[in-house]
Amino acid sequence: MGTLEVKLIQAQGLTNKDLIGKSDPFAKLYTRNLHSMMQTSKVIDNHLNPIWNEHFEFVVEDTSTQHLTIEVHDEDKLQTSELIGCAQVKLSELEPGNVKDVWLKLVKNLESYRDNEDQGKVHLELLYCPDGVINPFSSNFSMTFLEKVPKDTSGVENGDEKRMIITKGVLCVTVISAEDLPSADLMGKADPFVVLTMKKTGTKNKTRVINEDLNPIWNESFEFVVEEGLHDLLIAEVWDHDTFGKDYMGRCILTLTRVILEGEYEDSIQVEGAKSGKLNLNLKWLAQPN
């Protein structure tokens, strides 16, 4: 019937399965519970909030009966990996040709709702394209197919040139403000600043420090040159400045899919890992042809 594109972005708050240190999580994904049809992510060592930023593609035969299942496991080099939690998405709930951004709660057992204690959550982007429906990014490629493009683009066909135009560009990020940040000192205040990082290149920029403010306003803009827009992430970390260093408050992780599709948008994003707080950002995409 078509193809399902899956971007495995991250997980948050995974249950720790290790007595010493933290779990070493990896994910298994499948639309049919057959070993030959399962796909597996890389292992993130010693982390309960892993960032994978990996892409997978599945053949879809029947959306009315198929689900996407994701299992998050803790790797154990000495014995069989242990299941942390699992989740499912009905393919019939996906709107053909539209990217869906989802957070899924992980449970121990999909069959038994009596034992559905929260095991953390996982963040995905999903795109289902039935046969005959054009991929919104291009009729010539998929999100996964971009990973297969060689670095040397000399002499590429027209389809490849079209692809590079869409996914290469400049990302303009305006850190507008934050709201309701948690206090970080004895006076009930914080001295927040934001560090922006592109996942693939590690390029960083940071705002100025706003002293003693839980609702800081920055209105600072930064630009990042991006080579593979559909396969990069923007990580926005909120820190509290201290005389003797800095204290981590939380983060927001954004794919570039939405800004590439829409050109520009503004959003208020929950700060993950913090007791409270939202970060207000404006993102703008300037495509750069070769």
Side-chain angles (χ1 to χ4, degrees):
M1 291 182 65
T3 57
L4 174 67
E5 303 277 343
V6 180
K7 178 181 287 188
L8 173 63
I9 302 166
Q10 62 174 322
Q12 279 282 322
L14 296 179
T15 302
N16 193 8
K17 297 294 184 180
D18 290 1
L19 294 176
I20 300 174
K22 298 175 182 176
S23 296
D24 306 313
F26 69 94
K28 292 182 180 179
L29 303 95
Y30 53 89
T31 54
R32 294 283 187 209
N33 194 4
L34 301 170
H35 183 73
S36 61
M37 300 183 72
M38 288 187 179
Q39 300 196 51
T40 305
S41 76
K42 60 180 179 283
V43 176
I44 306 294
D45 291 332
N46 197 39
H47 219 302
L48 301 181
N49 300 293
I51 301 174
W52 285 290
N53 191 30
E54 291 189 60
H55 306 78
F56 305 94
E57 184 177 293
F58 299 91
V59 173
V60 177
E61 293 133 8
D62 184 359
T63 56
S64 65
T65 61
Q66 279 183 283
H67 302 74
L68 171 69
T69 302
I70 176 168
E71 300 177 355
V72 179
H73 294 255
D74 174 29
E75 187 193 48
D76 192 322
K77 293 180 173 63
L78 301 179
Q79 57 189 21
T80 305
S81 63
E82 185 176 359
L83 179 68
I84 296 175
C86 48
Q88 268 188 348
V89 178
K90 293 180 180 179
L91 300 193
S92 59
E93 295 177 351
L94 301 180
E95 187 176 341
N98 286 340
V99 177
K100 185 171 184 177
D101 186 297
V102 294
W103 280 95
L104 302 176
K105 177 184 175 182
L106 295 169
V107 296
K108 287 183 179 179
N109 190 338
L110 290 170
E111 305 299 325
S112 173
Y113 289 97
R114 291 176 298 177
D115 186 19
N116 63 352
E117 181 183 343
D118 190 359
Q119 304 295 309
K121 58 183 181 178
V122 65
H123 187 192
L124 307 171
E125 269 189 356
L126 306 171
L127 172 61
Y128 169 54
C129 286
D131 293 338
V133 173
I134 295 176
N135 187 307
F137 301 109
S138 168
S139 59
N140 299 316
F141 74 101
S142 64
M143 288 196 291
T144 304
F145 184 69
L146 277 171
E147 293 285 15
K148 304 170 187 173
V149 177
K151 294 297 180 184
D152 180 11
T153 56
S154 60
V156 294
E157 297 177 359
N158 290 336
D160 287 332
E161 290 175 357
K162 183 178 181 181
R163 178 162 60 251
M164 294 303 291
I165 289 171
I166 294 174
T167 63
K168 181 178 180 181
V170 175
L171 176 67
C172 305
V173 182
T174 300
V175 182
I176 302 169
S177 61
E179 304 169 20
D180 194 27
L181 293 177
S183 61
D185 58 33
L186 296 175
M187 303 299 292
K189 296 289 186 178
D191 305 314
F193 65 98
V194 177
V195 177
L196 302 174
T197 307
M198 298 306 301
K199 173 69 173 170
K200 278 197 172 287
T201 61
T203 307
K204 294 179 183 286
N205 276 302
K206 67 179 181 179
T207 68
R208 68 188 184 278
V209 176
I210 304 292
N211 293 320
E212 299 184 356
D213 201 333
L214 301 181
N215 298 283
I217 298 174
W218 289 284
N219 279 325
E220 292 187 61
S221 298
F222 307 93
E223 292 186 349
F224 297 91
V225 176
V226 178
E227 293 293 331
E228 299 175 73
L230 293 179
H231 298 282
D232 214 337
L233 296 176
L234 172 68
I235 303 172
E237 295 177 316
V238 184
W239 293 84
D240 172 50
H241 177 74
D242 189 83
T243 305
F244 303 103
K246 59 183 181 179
D247 296 316
Y248 176 76
M249 298 180 74
R251 72 185 183 189
C252 305
I253 297 178
L254 296 88
T255 71
L256 307 193
T257 309
R258 181 180 172 187
V259 72
I260 289 174
L261 287 172
E262 297 182 12
E264 183 176 5
Y265 74 91
E266 190 170 302
D267 204 355
S268 182
I269 305 147
Q270 195 74 35
V271 179
E272 300 163 9
K275 293 180 181 178
S276 62
K278 290 186 175 182
L279 192 60
N280 299 314
L281 301 174
N282 179 279
L283 272 65
K284 186 175 182 179
W285 178 253
L286 302 173
Q288 298 289 312
N290 287 335

PDB file of all heavy atoms in Angstrom, residues 116-134:
ATOM      1  N   ASN A 116       0.329  -1.413  33.552  1.00  0.00           N
ATOM      2  CA  ASN A 116       0.773  -0.384  32.597  1.00  0.00           C
ATOM      3  C   ASN A 116       1.470   0.774  33.299  1.00  0.00           C
ATOM      4  O   ASN A 116       1.283   1.940  32.968  1.00  0.00           O
ATOM      5  CB  ASN A 116      -0.406   0.125  31.754  1.00  0.00           C
ATOM      6  CG  ASN A 116      -1.467   0.814  32.593  1.00  0.00           C
ATOM      7  OD1 ASN A 116      -1.410   0.787  33.818  1.00  0.00           O
ATOM      8  ND2 ASN A 116      -2.424   1.438  31.930  1.00  0.00           N
ATOM      9  N   GLU A 117       2.259   0.430  34.303  1.00  0.00           N
ATOM     10  CA  GLU A 117       3.045   1.441  35.010  1.00  0.00           C
ATOM     11  C   GLU A 117       3.944   2.189  34.023  1.00  0.00           C
ATOM     12  O   GLU A 117       4.529   1.589  33.118  1.00  0.00           O
ATOM     13  CB  GLU A 117       3.898   0.759  36.086  1.00  0.00           C
ATOM     14  CG  GLU A 117       4.740   1.714  36.912  1.00  0.00           C
ATOM     15  CD  GLU A 117       5.619   0.983  37.914  1.00  0.00           C
ATOM     16  OE1 GLU A 117       5.333  -0.211  38.183  1.00  0.00           O
ATOM     17  OE2 GLU A 117       6.585   1.596  38.410  1.00  0.00           O
ATOM     18  N   ASP A 118       4.043   3.485  34.188  1.00  0.00           N
ATOM     19  CA  ASP A 118       4.812   4.328  33.280  1.00  0.00           C
ATOM     20  C   ASP A 118       6.286   3.938  33.295  1.00  0.00           C
ATOM     21  O   ASP A 118       6.936   3.917  34.340  1.00  0.00           O
ATOM     22  CB  ASP A 118       4.643   5.794  33.699  1.00  0.00           C
ATOM     23  CG  ASP A 118       5.198   6.760  32.665  1.00  0.00           C
ATOM     24  OD1 ASP A 118       5.726   6.300  31.639  1.00  0.00           O
ATOM     25  OD2 ASP A 118       5.104   7.978  32.892  1.00  0.00           O
ATOM     26  N   GLN A 119       6.821   3.632  32.106  1.00  0.00           N
ATOM     27  CA  GLN A 119       8.224   3.251  31.976  1.00  0.00           C
ATOM     28  C   GLN A 119       9.044   4.329  31.258  1.00  0.00           C
ATOM     29  O   GLN A 119      10.173   4.079  30.858  1.00  0.00           O
ATOM     30  CB  GLN A 119       8.333   1.934  31.192  1.00  0.00           C
ATOM     31  CG  GLN A 119       7.544   0.787  31.787  1.00  0.00           C
ATOM     32  CD  GLN A 119       8.051   0.376  33.147  1.00  0.00           C
ATOM     33  OE1 GLN A 119       9.235   0.130  33.330  1.00  0.00           O
ATOM     34  NE2 GLN A 119       7.158   0.302  34.122  1.00  0.00           N
ATOM     35  N   GLY A 120       8.447   5.506  31.087  1.00  0.00           N
ATOM     36  CA  GLY A 120       9.080   6.578  30.327  1.00  0.00           C
ATOM     37  C   GLY A 120       8.268   6.882  29.076  1.00  0.00           C
ATOM     38  O   GLY A 120       7.146   6.397  28.899  1.00  0.00           O
ATOM     39  N   LYS A 121       8.813   7.678  28.194  1.00  0.00           N
ATOM     40  CA  LYS A 121       8.108   8.014  26.958  1.00  0.00           C
ATOM     41  C   LYS A 121       9.113   8.155  25.816  1.00  0.00           C
ATOM     42  O   LYS A 121      10.304   8.399  26.034  1.00  0.00           O
ATOM     43  CB  LYS A 121       7.295   9.301  27.115  1.00  0.00           C
ATOM     44  CG  LYS A 121       8.099  10.528  27.528  1.00  0.00           C
ATOM     45  CD  LYS A 121       7.189  11.739  27.732  1.00  0.00           C
ATOM     46  CE  LYS A 121       8.000  12.975  28.135  1.00  0.00           C
ATOM     47  NZ  LYS A 121       7.149  14.170  28.294  1.00  0.00           N
ATOM     48  N   VAL A 122       8.609   7.984  24.593  1.00  0.00           N
ATOM     49  CA  VAL A 122       9.468   8.027  23.418  1.00  0.00           C
ATOM     50  C   VAL A 122       8.887   9.011  22.409  1.00  0.00           C
ATOM     51  O   VAL A 122       7.663   9.165  22.299  1.00  0.00           O
ATOM     52  CB  VAL A 122       9.627   6.607  22.810  1.00  0.00           C
ATOM     53  CG1 VAL A 122       8.299   6.085  22.280  1.00  0.00           C
ATOM     54  CG2 VAL A 122      10.693   6.578  21.724  1.00  0.00           C
ATOM     55  N   HIS A 123       9.767   9.699  21.690  1.00  0.00           N
ATOM     56  CA  HIS A 123       9.387  10.780  20.772  1.00  0.00           C
ATOM     57  C   HIS A 123       9.690  10.348  19.339  1.00  0.00           C
ATOM     58  O   HIS A 123      10.832   9.986  19.014  1.00  0.00           O
ATOM     59  CB  HIS A 123      10.198  12.033  21.138  1.00  0.00           C
ATOM     60  CG  HIS A 123       9.802  13.266  20.406  1.00  0.00           C
ATOM     61  ND1 HIS A 123      10.559  14.422  20.419  1.00  0.00           N
ATOM     62  CD2 HIS A 123       8.716  13.551  19.637  1.00  0.00           C
ATOM     63  CE1 HIS A 123       9.961  15.336  19.689  1.00  0.00           C
ATOM     64  NE2 HIS A 123       8.843  14.840  19.203  1.00  0.00           N
ATOM     65  N   LEU A 124       8.664  10.395  18.479  1.00  0.00           N
ATOM     66  CA  LEU A 124       8.793   9.971  17.080  1.00  0.00           C
ATOM     67  C   LEU A 124       8.212  11.014  16.139  1.00  0.00           C
ATOM     68  O   LEU A 124       7.327  11.780  16.505  1.00  0.00           O
ATOM     69  CB  LEU A 124       8.030   8.657  16.835  1.00  0.00           C
ATOM     70  CG  LEU A 124       8.293   7.453  17.710  1.00  0.00           C
ATOM     71  CD1 LEU A 124       7.274   6.369  17.407  1.00  0.00           C
ATOM     72  CD2 LEU A 124       9.703   6.927  17.493  1.00  0.00           C
ATOM     73  N   GLU A 125       8.707  10.994  14.894  1.00  0.00           N
ATOM     74  CA  GLU A 125       8.024  11.640  13.772  1.00  0.00           C
ATOM     75  C   GLU A 125       7.652  10.548  12.785  1.00  0.00           C
ATOM     76  O   GLU A 125       8.480   9.691  12.463  1.00  0.00           O
ATOM     77  CB  GLU A 125       8.930  12.663  13.076  1.00  0.00           C
ATOM     78  CG  GLU A 125       8.817  14.056  13.626  1.00  0.00           C
ATOM     79  CD  GLU A 125       9.565  15.084  12.785  1.00  0.00           C
ATOM     80  OE1 GLU A 125      10.247  14.699  11.813  1.00  0.00           O
ATOM     81  OE2 GLU A 125       9.470  16.262  13.112  1.00  0.00           O
ATOM     82  N   LEU A 126       6.405  10.593  12.313  1.00  0.00           N
ATOM     83  CA  LEU A 126       5.894   9.550  11.433  1.00  0.00           C
ATOM     84  C   LEU A 126       5.354  10.164  10.149  1.00  0.00           C
ATOM     85  O   LEU A 126       4.701  11.203  10.174  1.00  0.00           O
ATOM     86  CB  LEU A 126       4.769   8.773  12.131  1.00  0.00           C
ATOM     87  CG  LEU A 126       5.102   8.187  13.509  1.00  0.00           C
ATOM     88  CD1 LEU A 126       3.850   7.640  14.158  1.00  0.00           C
ATOM     89  CD2 LEU A 126       6.168   7.116  13.388  1.00  0.00           C
ATOM     90  N   LEU A 127       5.629   9.508   9.037  1.00  0.00           N
ATOM     91  CA  LEU A 127       5.119   9.953   7.737  1.00  0.00           C
ATOM     92  C   LEU A 127       4.711   8.730   6.934  1.00  0.00           C
ATOM     93  O   LEU A 127       5.558   7.907   6.569  1.00  0.00           O
ATOM     94  CB  LEU A 127       6.188  10.749   6.979  1.00  0.00           C
ATOM     95  CG  LEU A 127       5.859  11.116   5.524  1.00  0.00           C
ATOM     96  CD1 LEU A 127       4.618  12.001   5.450  1.00  0.00           C
ATOM     97  CD2 LEU A 127       7.050  11.808   4.864  1.00  0.00           C
ATOM     98  N   TYR A 128       3.396   8.596   6.672  1.00  0.00           N
ATOM     99  CA  TYR A 128       2.889   7.491   5.865  1.00  0.00           C
ATOM    100  C   TYR A 128       2.540   8.011   4.480  1.00  0.00           C
ATOM    101  O   TYR A 128       1.746   8.944   4.338  1.00  0.00           O
ATOM    102  CB  TYR A 128       1.651   6.861   6.517  1.00  0.00           C
ATOM    103  CG  TYR A 128       0.922   5.900   5.599  1.00  0.00           C
ATOM    104  CD1 TYR A 128       1.600   4.835   4.995  1.00  0.00           C
ATOM    105  CD2 TYR A 128      -0.427   6.065   5.315  1.00  0.00           C
ATOM    106  CE1 TYR A 128       0.946   3.962   4.143  1.00  0.00           C
ATOM    107  CE2 TYR A 128      -1.096   5.198   4.468  1.00  0.00           C
ATOM    108  CZ  TYR A 128      -0.409   4.151   3.885  1.00  0.00           C
ATOM    109  OH  TYR A 128      -1.050   3.296   3.032  1.00  0.00           O
ATOM    110  N   CYS A 129       3.142   7.405   3.470  1.00  0.00           N
ATOM    111  CA  CYS A 129       2.872   7.774   2.078  1.00  0.00           C
ATOM    112  C   CYS A 129       2.366   6.564   1.310  1.00  0.00           C
ATOM    113  O   CYS A 129       3.148   5.670   0.953  1.00  0.00           O
ATOM    114  CB  CYS A 129       4.133   8.328   1.413  1.00  0.00           C
ATOM    115  SG  CYS A 129       4.566   9.987   1.941  1.00  0.00           S
ATOM    116  N   PRO A 130       1.057   6.482   1.070  1.00  0.00           N
ATOM    117  CA  PRO A 130       0.523   5.383   0.264  1.00  0.00           C
ATOM    118  C   PRO A 130       1.032   5.482  -1.166  1.00  0.00           C
ATOM    119  O   PRO A 130       1.462   6.552  -1.623  1.00  0.00           O
ATOM    120  CB  PRO A 130      -0.996   5.600   0.308  1.00  0.00           C
ATOM    121  CG  PRO A 130      -1.237   6.619   1.366  1.00  0.00           C
ATOM    122  CD  PRO A 130       0.014   7.420   1.484  1.00  0.00           C
ATOM    123  N   ASP A 131       1.000   4.377  -1.877  1.00  0.00           N
ATOM    124  CA  ASP A 131       1.358   4.393  -3.294  1.00  0.00           C
ATOM    125  C   ASP A 131       0.460   5.397  -4.009  1.00  0.00           C
ATOM    126  O   ASP A 131      -0.758   5.394  -3.829  1.00  0.00           O
ATOM    127  CB  ASP A 131       1.174   3.004  -3.913  1.00  0.00           C
ATOM    128  CG  ASP A 131       2.166   2.002  -3.345  1.00  0.00           C
ATOM    129  OD1 ASP A 131       3.205   2.447  -2.825  1.00  0.00           O
ATOM    130  OD2 ASP A 131       1.891   0.792  -3.411  1.00  0.00           O
ATOM    131  N   GLY A 132       1.074   6.287  -4.781  1.00  0.00           N
ATOM    132  CA  GLY A 132       0.314   7.283  -5.510  1.00  0.00           C
ATOM    133  C   GLY A 132       0.202   8.615  -4.802  1.00  0.00           C
ATOM    134  O   GLY A 132      -0.206   9.606  -5.407  1.00  0.00           O
ATOM    135  N   VAL A 133       0.573   8.668  -3.501  1.00  0.00           N
ATOM    136  CA  VAL A 133       0.575   9.933  -2.762  1.00  0.00           C
ATOM    137  C   VAL A 133       1.994  10.469  -2.719  1.00  0.00           C
ATOM    138  O   VAL A 133       2.927   9.778  -2.328  1.00  0.00           O
ATOM    139  CB  VAL A 133       0.043   9.756  -1.321  1.00  0.00           C
ATOM    140  CG1 VAL A 133       0.224  11.042  -0.517  1.00  0.00           C
ATOM    141  CG2 VAL A 133      -1.420   9.362  -1.356  1.00  0.00           C
ATOM    142  N   ILE A 134       2.165  11.712  -3.140  1.00  0.00           N
ATOM    143  CA  ILE A 134       3.503  12.296  -3.228  1.00  0.00           C
ATOM    144  C   ILE A 134       4.031  12.620  -1.839  1.00  0.00           C
ATOM    145  O   ILE A 134       3.334  13.217  -1.021  1.00  0.00           O
ATOM    146  CB  ILE A 134       3.475  13.573  -4.094  1.00  0.00           C
ATOM    147  CG1 ILE A 134       3.118  13.207  -5.549  1.00  0.00           C
ATOM    148  CG2 ILE A 134       4.821  14.290  -4.049  1.00  0.00           C
ATOM    149  CD1 ILE A 134       2.963  14.414  -6.459  1.00  0.00           C
TER     150      ILE A 134
END
